[in-house]
């Protein structure tokens, strides 16, 4: 039997789904600020050694998260409780931390169930007061589907969203554009269910609706193409994302001209796809090592087959340089966009160990921002992480009843004038020792944009803070 990972590889022809655990870098000497965004699920088997077994009791010392009154208030409006930062306060015992984390999960789930019940009442009210095909049902059903999805009740969410799409098509016509918001929500749920071929078809159908409404070469296609490319990137299909970006650039070139700043935006996105190919933000599976990619299902409709060539320095550099030229030809010069693209070019050189070229690009960007000191400081006053490849993270168990917790590893490091990392230390972790060693090893391979002094020269930095966040799962009450 094929694993979900293998089914995705077949569906995307050498692409894989991956986890994007969150990582945050903080200026030297500052306490890291917790993020509350959720990380997507990692590939099958990626975290076999790290993921806690459902129902198992965590080792002594694991877990420091505590639910507060503020967290409970945040849960009531659907947001996530904040993850506590490392402080000098006395640490909780393992039992206290576990109980507090479990209570936060229960509170979040209670709020989610209340939200689902409220959305269900709204749907019933529309059905009773109007009809089962009232236009207002579409938004109500989408809200209900999203609420179910938040609780990981994805099969129920899929049924609700499929009904929303049916109502939209009955009310607005088979090819109405209003159904795209339903399709996007449905694609998220199908991805969560690992029904990758269905998710792909949904996203590409949404693009086909825009193409049908505006024509195959309409400028109106650019936004949906970016949306499709973003989704491809989120599931690790960098080659699919690249073709969408290429198509957007061709449309912009033909419709508004090669010097339009919108083309520069497309070129920057295209360069990002080359960067993700060479420096992926996830751990590749064996399927992702296959370089031949079938683009038969891509928006262009072409059955062309391409061969992905890793480590391509030239195309990414060329795309960024052309974007810079476009910005510089604007009247007045697009200073902020030019400097941002110069920084991207400098990062590109840095990752390929072309330090002299990187410094030239950084200095030019810094000079462009001479009249914007705050932006200049934001880019160059502190060392900034450019590349961190996170370790594999725990995978969600198949049972919806297993709650998800948030873990993190706080680290500190020194950064050389070349952006290389040394003296990496763990300064805090929750749970203790779950992914601490793996995060430490990943941090040693990270790369930073070095801090620049007042003369624009790279200088070393010490005590840089970095937070790696991840989900983990544990049977409540165990």
């Amino acid at each position: 039997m094929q694993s979900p990972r293998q089914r995705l590889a077949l569906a995307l022809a050498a692409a894989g789904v991956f986890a994007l655990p969150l990582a945050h870098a903080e200026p030297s000497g500052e306490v890291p600020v917790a993020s509350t965004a959720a990380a997507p699920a990692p590939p099958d088997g990626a975290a076999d050694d790290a993921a806690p077994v459902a129902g198992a009791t965590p080792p002594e010392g694991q877990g420091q998260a505590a639910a507060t009154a503020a967290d409970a208030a945040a849960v009531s409006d659907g947001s996530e409780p904040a993850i506590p930062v490392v402080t000098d306060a006395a640490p909780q015992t393992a039992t206290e931390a576990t109980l507090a984390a479990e209570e936060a999960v229960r509170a979040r789930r209670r709020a989610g169930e209340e939200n689902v019940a409220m959305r269900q009442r709204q749907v019933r009210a529309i059905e009773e007061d109007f009809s089962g095909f009232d236009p207002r049902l579409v938004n109500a059903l989408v809200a209900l589907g999203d609420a179910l999805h938040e609780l990981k009740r994805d099969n129920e969410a899929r049924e609700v969203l499929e009904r929303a799409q049916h109502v939209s098509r009955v009310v607005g016509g088979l090819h109405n554009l209003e159904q795209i918001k339903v399709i996007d929500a449905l694609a998220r749920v199908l991805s969560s269910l690992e029904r990758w071929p269905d998710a792909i078809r949904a996203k590409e159908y949404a693009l086909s609706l825009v193409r049908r409404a505006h024509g195959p070469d309409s400028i109106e296609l650019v936004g949906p193409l970016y949306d499709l490319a973003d989704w491809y990137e989120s599931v690790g299909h960098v080659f699919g994302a690249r073709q969408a970006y290429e198509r957007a650039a061709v449309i912009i070139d033909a419709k508004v001209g090669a010097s339009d700043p919108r083309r520069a935006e497309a070129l920057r996105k295209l360069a990002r796809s080359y960067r993700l190919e060479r420096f992926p933000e996830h751990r590749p599976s064996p399927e992702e090592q296959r370089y031949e990619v079938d683009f038969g299902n891509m928006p262009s409709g072409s059955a062309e087959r391409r061969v992905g060539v890793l480590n391509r320095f030239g195309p990414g550099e060329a795309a960024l340089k052309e974007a810079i030229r476009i910005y510089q030809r604007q009247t007045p010069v697009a200073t902020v966009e030019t400097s941002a693209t110069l920084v991207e070019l400098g990062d590109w050189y840095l990752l390929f160990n072309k330090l002299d070229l990187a410094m030239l690009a950084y200095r030019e960007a810094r000079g462009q921002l001479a009249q914007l000191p705050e932006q200049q400081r934001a880019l160059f006053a502190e060392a900034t992480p450019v590349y961190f490849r996170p370790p594999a993270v725990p995978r969600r168990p198949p049972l919806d009843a297993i709650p998800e917790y948030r873990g993190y590893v706080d680290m500190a490091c020194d950064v050389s004038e070349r952006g290389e990392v040394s003296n990496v230390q763990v300064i805090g972790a929750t749970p203790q020792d779950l992914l601490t060693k793996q995060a430490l090893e990943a941090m040693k391979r990270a790369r930073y944009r070095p801090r620049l002094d007042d003369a624009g020269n790279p200088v070393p930095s010490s005590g840089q803070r970095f937070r790696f966040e991840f989900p983990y799962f544990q049977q409540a009450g165990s």
Side-chain angles (χ1 to χ4, degrees), residues 422-435:
S422 64
N423 192 28
V424 182
Q425 298 178 348
V426 173
I427 57 176
T430 296
Q432 296 285 343
D433 301 324
L434 179 55
L435 288 180

Side-chain angles (χ1 to χ4, degrees), residues 372-456:
L372 299 169
E374 289 187 6
Q375 295 190 35
Q376 188 184 76
R377 285 193 296 271
L379 287 170
F380 301 114
E382 295 284 348
T384 305
V386 172
Y387 176 65
F388 172 77
R389 192 176 194 178
V393 302
R395 178 180 178 79
R396 169 170 285 281
L399 298 177
D400 289 345
I402 305 299
E404 175 180 320
Y405 299 86
R406 302 297 300 169
Y408 64 85
V409 180
D410 282 328
M411 294 170 281
C413 67
D414 296 337
V415 178
S416 73
E417 64 274 11
R418 297 181 59 87
E420 296 165 340
V421 170
S422 64
N423 192 28
V424 182
Q425 298 178 348
V426 173
I427 57 176
T430 296
Q432 296 285 343
D433 301 324
L434 179 55
L435 288 180
T436 305
K437 180 179 179 181
Q438 295 92 322
L440 188 67
E441 291 302 312
M443 193 63 199
K444 292 176 181 177
R445 296 186 292 271
R447 198 70 186 269
Y448 273 67
R449 182 189 315 135
R451 178 171 65 91
L452 301 186
D453 63 17
D454 292 340

Side-chain angles (χ1 to χ4, degrees), residues 170-185:
V170 169
V171 172
L174 189 62
H175 303 293
N176 80 86
L177 298 182
E178 290 298 316
Q179 66 182 298
I180 290 177
K181 62 187 175 186
V182 186
I183 295 170
D184 288 342

Side-chain angles (χ1 to χ4, degrees), residues 9-31:
L10 293 175
L12 295 180
V17 69
F18 59 93
L20 288 178
L22 304 177
H24 306 280
E26 301 300 330
S28 175
E30 294 186 7
V31 177

Side-chain angles (χ1 to χ4, degrees), residues 347-363:
D347 292 345
W348 182 251
Y349 287 138
L350 183 75
L351 290 172
F352 279 92
N353 293 314
K354 298 180 182 294
L355 189 64
D356 290 342
L357 291 174
M359 290 305 115
L360 286 174
Y362 291 151
R363 290 190 188 102

Side-chain angles (χ1 to χ4, degrees), residues 180-185 187-188 199-200 202-208 210 220-235 240-241 244-245 248 265 269 298-299:
I180 290 177
K181 62 187 175 186
V182 186
I183 295 170
D184 288 342
R188 289 193 295 271
I200 294 167
K203 294 296 292 185
E204 294 183 350
Y205 178 65
L207 181 63
S208 74
V210 181
E220 298 294 333
L221 279 172
V222 172
L225 279 167
Y226 287 164
D227 180 63
L228 178 63
D230 288 344
W231 185 83
Y232 273 129
E233 284 186 5
S234 74
V235 297
Y245 292 140
E265 180 186 6
K269 291 178 180 292
M298 287 303 299

Side-chain angles (χ1 to χ4, degrees), residues 57-320:
T57 302
E60 184 70 20
Q62 286 191 4
Q64 297 176 0
T68 65
D71 290 338
V75 168
S76 67
D77 65 6
S79 60
E80 296 284 341
I83 300 172
V85 299
V86 178
T87 68
D88 295 328
Q92 294 175 301
T93 66
T95 301
E96 290 172 339
T98 300
L99 291 175
E102 288 178 358
E103 178 53 36
V105 169
R106 285 193 293 269
R108 187 163 60 245
R109 190 164 189 90
R110 284 195 300 269
E113 296 289 359
E114 291 171 1
N115 188 33
V116 166
M118 179 190 69
R119 301 299 182 184
Q120 289 172 331
R121 289 194 296 271
Q122 290 175 342
V123 170
R124 285 196 297 270
I126 294 172
E127 291 171 332
E128 293 170 0
D129 294 344
F130 302 98
S131 74
F133 288 95
D134 187 88
R136 282 163 286 202
L137 261 181
V138 177
N139 287 339
L141 288 168
V142 170
L144 174 57
D146 287 343
L148 289 165
H149 176 53
E150 287 296 318
L151 289 175
K152 310 300 180 185
R153 292 163 58 178
D154 286 324
N155 282 309
E156 296 174 72
R158 175 184 57 80
E159 293 177 358
V160 167
L161 292 169
E162 286 175 347
R163 182 188 171 195
Q165 186 180 9
H166 177 63
V167 172
S168 176
R169 297 172 83 175
V170 169
V171 172
L174 189 62
H175 303 293
N176 80 86
L177 298 182
E178 290 298 316
Q179 66 182 298
I180 290 177
K181 62 187 175 186
V182 186
I183 295 170
D184 288 342
L186 181 59
R188 289 193 295 271
V189 170
L190 291 170
S191 298
S192 182
L193 290 169
E194 296 183 338
R195 292 177 52 171
W196 304 110
D198 292 335
I200 294 167
R201 281 191 289 270
K203 294 296 292 185
E204 294 183 350
Y205 178 65
L207 181 63
S208 74
L209 292 174
V210 181
R211 189 193 298 113
R212 180 186 180 91
H214 298 286
D217 300 312
S218 170
I219 196 71
E220 298 294 333
L221 279 172
V222 172
L225 279 167
Y226 287 164
D227 180 63
L228 178 63
D230 288 344
W231 185 83
Y232 273 129
E233 284 186 5
S234 74
V235 297
H237 191 7
V238 64
F239 300 108
R242 180 176 305 149
Q243 191 175 28
Y245 292 140
E246 288 173 343
R247 179 63 181 152
V250 168
I251 291 174
I252 293 169
D253 194 2
K255 294 299 180 180
V256 296
S259 296
D260 192 276
R262 283 172 286 185
R263 184 167 179 267
E265 180 186 6
L267 290 169
R268 292 170 68 183
K269 291 178 180 292
L270 183 61
R272 172 176 163 79
S273 76
Y274 286 111
R275 175 168 164 172
L276 289 175
E277 178 185 356
R278 174 61 181 87
F279 300 98
E281 297 175 349
H282 68 293
R283 298 168 63 90
S285 70
E287 292 88 351
E288 290 171 308
Q289 299 297 326
R290 297 169 53 203
Y291 302 146
E292 189 175 54
V293 183
D294 187 353
F295 287 92
N297 288 329
M298 287 303 299
S300 65
S302 170
E304 170 188 14
R305 297 182 71 86
R306 300 185 181 182
V307 176
V309 181
L310 296 181
N311 305 340
R312 289 189 288 188
F313 170 78
E317 179 193 35
L320 290 171

